[in-house]
Amino acid sequence: MINNAAFPPVGILGLGFLGQILAREFSAVPESWGTWHLTPPPEPILSNFSFDWANENNWSALPETPVTLVLTIPPLLKNPETEAERLHLWGKWMSHNRPELKSMIYISTTGVYPKRNGIWSEDSDFEADTNSGKLRLVTENILSQYFSLQVVRPGGIYGYGRGIDVRLKSGKPIPVSNTPVHRIHVMDLARIICHLVDNPNAPNCVNAVDLEAKPSWEVAKWLIENRNDLTEEMLPDAADCLPGTPQRIISNQRLLELGITLCYPTFREGMEG
Ligand SMILES: NC(=O)c1ccc[n+]([C@@H]2O[C@H](COP(=O)([O-])OP(=O)(O)OC[C@H]3O[C@@H](n4cnc5c(N)ncnc54)[C@H](OP(=O)(O)O)[C@@H]3O)[C@@H](O)[C@H]2O)c1
């Protein structure tokens, strides 16, 4: 938790999994707030209120006091063109009606990068090859026209009730593929976001991935060998290995250059139990 009352406040759009962890970090930072959509957060964290991004009549619920907005809500529409129109409408409304809310950190995804072998960094020249990737790139691009924007592209977010260990316990399938999965522990992701809130002049886009990407099946096998609460029987029958992209690497060079030491540098520390 941030114990500096002078730390810049945030407005968290979407108190979901990441949003609630972040809210706890900012609970002692005055003027910070968060929004929920269908269900209020289970414990009272920050000042919070209901907000439906899809409903224009709800937009005026956003306070006018300057904060750094942290947008965790995923794209609302499936079609990139109609989502782009919606984002322009909101961006124009915000510029007109909430000019004090100029700074935004947008939680995007490493899913923007093509599903091809290669080393993908924030500066790579590429086009998304999935609809969800296209939606995210459109969002990044349009938001940058209305806000002073920092983009965070996390890999798979795990920790506190999410991850391969939890899937094993609940008997959920584990993908069998040789494609490395890039991950980030939710606490480290929250720390990266805190760093950006405090350093608005940091690079405007950063991949949030830890130091060791591994296929999910290999992580599952490691967990069974190393955790007393997980047993061989929990490993689902291995389906045939899907053809993957074993050399698809998401660069974490820029993240390392920010100087943030990860508390959970790999899934081993993050899932050791
Ligand atoms: N999980 C991962 O592995 C992963 C990896 C990379 C990137 N990401 C992205 O990172 C972001 C944060 O992830 P997360 O796991 O914290 O997601 P999450 O738990 O699904 O949180 C997203 C929040 O957005 C809210 N929301 C949805 N529709 C809304 C609307 N119309 N108006 C207002 N709020 C709305 C949801 O509220 P309701 O649930 O009440 O609708 C939810 O609280 C997401 O954009 C996610 O796609 C996730």
Side-chain angles (χ1 to χ4, degrees):
M1 190 175 97
I2 298 162
N3 277 316
N4 173 0
F7 203 85
V10 288
I12 304 169
L13 296 167
L15 289 172
F17 178 56
L18 169 65
Q20 289 184 37
I21 299 280
L22 207 52
R24 269 179 230 128
E25 292 298 298
F26 280 86
S27 55
V29 179
E31 310 278 338
S32 294
W33 49 262
T35 75
W36 49 271
H37 179 217
L38 300 177
T39 13
E43 46 182 293
I45 31 167
L46 293 184
S47 153
N48 62 79
F49 52 90
S50 91
F51 171 73
D52 181 2
W53 198 23
N55 180 351
E56 280 180 54
N57 297 324
N58 258 212
W59 296 348
S60 56
L62 300 178
E64 294 181 15
T65 328
V67 291
T68 301
L69 295 172
V70 181
L71 177 59
T72 80
I73 309 172
L76 298 188
L77 304 175
K78 293 272 174 281
N79 180 310
E81 279 91 46
T82 43
E83 180 68 351
E85 283 170 24
R86 195 188 71 75
L87 288 164
H88 276 301
L89 204 64
W90 185 65
K92 285 184 186 141
W93 188 93
M94 289 295 285
S95 303
H96 238 91
N97 298 285
R98 293 292 181 273
E100 308 82 1
L101 301 180
K102 276 307 294 171
S103 300
M104 176 185 282
I105 295 173
Y106 173 53
I107 311 306
S108 182
T109 164
T110 52
V112 296
Y113 297 114
K115 308 273 177 279
R116 293 200 307 268
N117 289 330
I119 297 176
W120 302 100
S121 71
E122 296 85 345
D123 290 333
S124 300
D125 196 10
F126 67 90
E127 282 181 19
D129 57 8
T130 60
N131 191 60
S132 59
K134 285 183 188 133
L135 276 165
R136 293 294 187 158
L137 285 184
V138 161
T139 307
E140 291 179 7
N141 179 286
I142 294 175
L143 292 175
S144 74
Q145 297 171 38
Y146 297 97
F147 297 93
S148 169
L149 188 72
Q150 290 175 300
V151 173
V152 180
R153 294 175 176 161
I157 307 171
Y158 76 96
Y160 299 122
R162 273 200 198 176
I164 301 288
D165 45 351
V166 185
R167 292 186 75 85
L168 281 170
K169 279 189 179 172
S170 55
K172 293 208 174 121
I174 310 288
V176 184
S177 156
N178 57 8
T179 301
V181 176
H182 294 75
R183 298 182 177 78
I184 188 80
H185 193 285
V186 67
M187 273 314 295
D188 280 329
L189 180 55
R191 289 174 64 241
I192 293 164
I193 295 167
C194 292
H195 178 92
L196 295 179
V197 171
D198 201 27
N199 294 275
N201 296 324
N204 59 8
C205 182
V206 60
N207 296 332
V209 295
D210 71 19
L211 307 187
E212 189 176 349
K214 267 263 185 282
S216 299
W217 190 259
E218 288 183 38
V219 173
K221 283 198 301 196
W222 181 88
L223 282 164
I224 287 190
E225 283 160 20
N226 289 278
R227 283 247 311 244
N228 293 335
D229 59 333
L230 300 173
T231 59
E232 188 83 39
E233 297 75 57
M234 291 178 179
L235 205 57
D237 290 337
D240 290 338
C241 184
L242 303 169
T245 47
Q247 303 301 328
R248 179 178 182 266
I249 307 297
I250 312 292
S251 167
N252 54 16
Q253 188 61 35
R254 192 175 280 182
L255 174 65
L256 300 180
E257 284 165 9
L258 287 180
I260 301 170
T261 309
L262 298 180
C263 293
Y264 304 98
T266 77
F267 64 89
R268 295 169 214 278
E269 295 79 16
M271 298 184 197
E272 69 187 353

